[in-house]
Amino acid sequence: FQIDAEPAELREKYGRNTFGQSCLLARRLVEAGTRCVSVYNGGWDTHQNNFSDLKNTLLPPWDQGLAALIADLHDRGLLENTIVWCTGEFGRTPKINDMGAGRDHWARAMSMVYAGCGIRGGNIIGETDKTASEPTTDPYSPDDAAASFYHALGIDPHREYHTRDGRPVMIVQNGTPITELWS
């Protein structure tokens, strides 16, 4: 947890903000052998001031911290065995609301970022119509996204596990890995 042990130049590369330094800490934890790290970056509920909040507050540290994390994992030879998955729980409305230039919750289309574990970079999968309202290709489900995550880690997403008392537990019930991530 001693990120101050990192060179100042590297800390600057990640960004001297909570998200950037959290990404640096995540890299340190992965490098130390931690098997699962979650970095929370809240505050994306832009029901008002969507464009100014994205431009001035949310996207700059996210872009900088995520890019530095992926590059640093790659440079250290850790990206091939580490998956980076960035997601929220839904998309944002294509239409700007009347409550202050915001965007509301939208379940029909959203974006995610995957990197590492052999995933081909620069790959865009899926399309929406011209207003980003509806998918124009076969949509992927949250279960498909989760199945892809587990598949990348070498875990069979369809395997049935059992609790100590024998109760069956499925990691992902209906999802299928998104094979285009690796092609």
Side-chain angles (χ1 to χ4, degrees):
F1 290 98
Q2 297 174 330
I3 59 174
D4 56 340
E6 295 287 342
E9 181 179 318
L10 184 63
R11 292 189 68 192
E12 293 296 332
K13 184 176 179 182
Y14 275 88
R16 293 285 188 144
N17 53 66
T18 301
F19 181 68
Q21 296 303 286
S22 296
C23 287
L24 175 57
L25 178 57
R27 192 273 297 156
R28 287 177 60 87
L29 289 168
V30 167
E31 192 171 41
T34 303
R35 295 178 50 113
C36 184
V37 179
S38 179
V39 175
Y40 175 74
N41 186 22
W44 292 79
D45 215 8
T46 57
H47 294 284
Q48 296 178 331
N49 305 315
N50 177 73
F51 299 102
S52 62
D53 284 354
L54 288 174
K55 180 180 179 183
N56 300 320
T57 307
L58 297 169
L59 289 174
W62 190 81
D63 286 344
Q64 184 178 4
L66 181 61
L69 173 63
I70 292 169
D72 202 4
L73 288 169
H74 177 268
D75 293 346
R76 293 168 189 271
L78 298 168
L79 192 59
E80 274 304 307
N81 297 311
T82 304
I83 186 165
V84 178
W85 181 21
C86 303
T87 187
E89 70 273 28
F90 48 74
R92 306 305 292 182
T93 52
K95 182 181 176 195
I96 305 307
N97 69 29
D98 296 330
M99 298 172 23
R103 293 176 68 192
D104 300 315
H105 303 176
W106 190 255
R108 299 292 301 149
M110 65 180 291
S111 300
M112 295 181 183
V113 173
Y114 288 93
C117 286
I119 292 171
R120 187 170 60 92
N123 206 4
I124 297 172
I125 301 167
E127 294 179 22
T128 61
D129 61 18
K130 67 181 180 178
T131 62
S133 299
E134 301 287 332
T136 58
T137 57
D138 287 336
Y140 292 104
S141 70
D143 282 351
D144 295 331
S148 301
F149 173 77
Y150 288 112
H151 174 78
L153 294 174
I155 298 171
D156 180 359
H158 301 111
R159 181 175 171 198
E160 182 176 284
Y161 293 86
H162 295 89
T163 63
R164 288 185 182 173
D165 61 355
R167 184 175 60 90
V169 177
M170 298 291 295
I171 295 178
V172 179
Q173 222 164 17
N174 299 313
T176 302
I178 303 167
T179 57
E180 296 92 337
L181 289 168
W182 293 273
S183 59

